Amino acid sequence: QVQLVESGGGLVQAGGSLRLSCAASRRTSYATGWFRQAPGKEREFVAAISWNGGNTVYADSVKDRFTMSRDNAKDTVYLQMNSLKPEDTAVYYCAAAPGLATIRMATWWGQGTQVTVSS
């Protein structure tokens, strides 16, 4: 079992930046992803990274604005979010799965961190 804890959310103005962190309770070789859910909307995929950081995948809506990375020495993954837009407002969740191909069916999920972008 893996516990995931997100941090770094907050309130930011449009055009600003935030960096989210997701810390795992133990060392794993899992791929990790970020998802988000806005009020009244379904949860959507944002980005994912392979266990060694060699491969990343992004949703079209965040490509060129968000960057995902990981530090396996700290069992932590990051989501650097730049040029934030009001439509990025959501609760952001991290999730872990055996591989990138299965990240959308991840078994382990964090509790989420709120990101609010004001216009």
Side-chain angles (χ1 to χ4, degrees):
Q1 187 157 352
V2 179
Q3 293 181 330
L4 304 172
V5 179
E6 303 96 334
S7 61
L11 173 64
V12 64
Q13 289 187 331
S17 298
L18 282 174
R19 188 177 80 157
L20 305 184
S21 299
C22 172
S25 59
R26 64 174 179 85
R27 186 67 47 86
T28 74
S29 59
Y30 298 150
T32 307
W34 286 97
F35 296 77
R36 66 187 182 187
Q37 187 166 20
K41 295 188 177 181
E42 293 187 353
R43 186 174 61 198
E44 65 174 354
F45 170 79
V46 175
I49 190 167
S50 59
W51 72 271
N52 64 358
N55 291 295
T56 52
V57 182
Y58 297 94
D60 287 343
S61 59
V62 306
K63 204 172 293 184
D64 299 327
R65 297 189 298 123
F66 291 10
T67 302
M68 193 169 178
S69 61
R70 67 188 308 152
D71 183 344
N72 285 342
K74 297 181 179 179
D75 301 323
T76 301
V77 299
Y78 304 97
L79 185 67
Q80 177 67 43
M81 306 186 295
N82 298 329
S83 302
L84 282 161
K85 305 175 181 180
E87 51 263 45
D88 294 317
T89 295
V91 178
Y92 283 70
Y93 300 90
C94 69
L100 283 177
T102 57
I103 196 64
R104 287 176 172 80
M105 299 168 285
T107 302
W108 298 280
W109 292 84
Q111 294 300 307
T113 185
Q114 176 71 48
V115 171
T116 303
V117 185
S118 63
S119 57

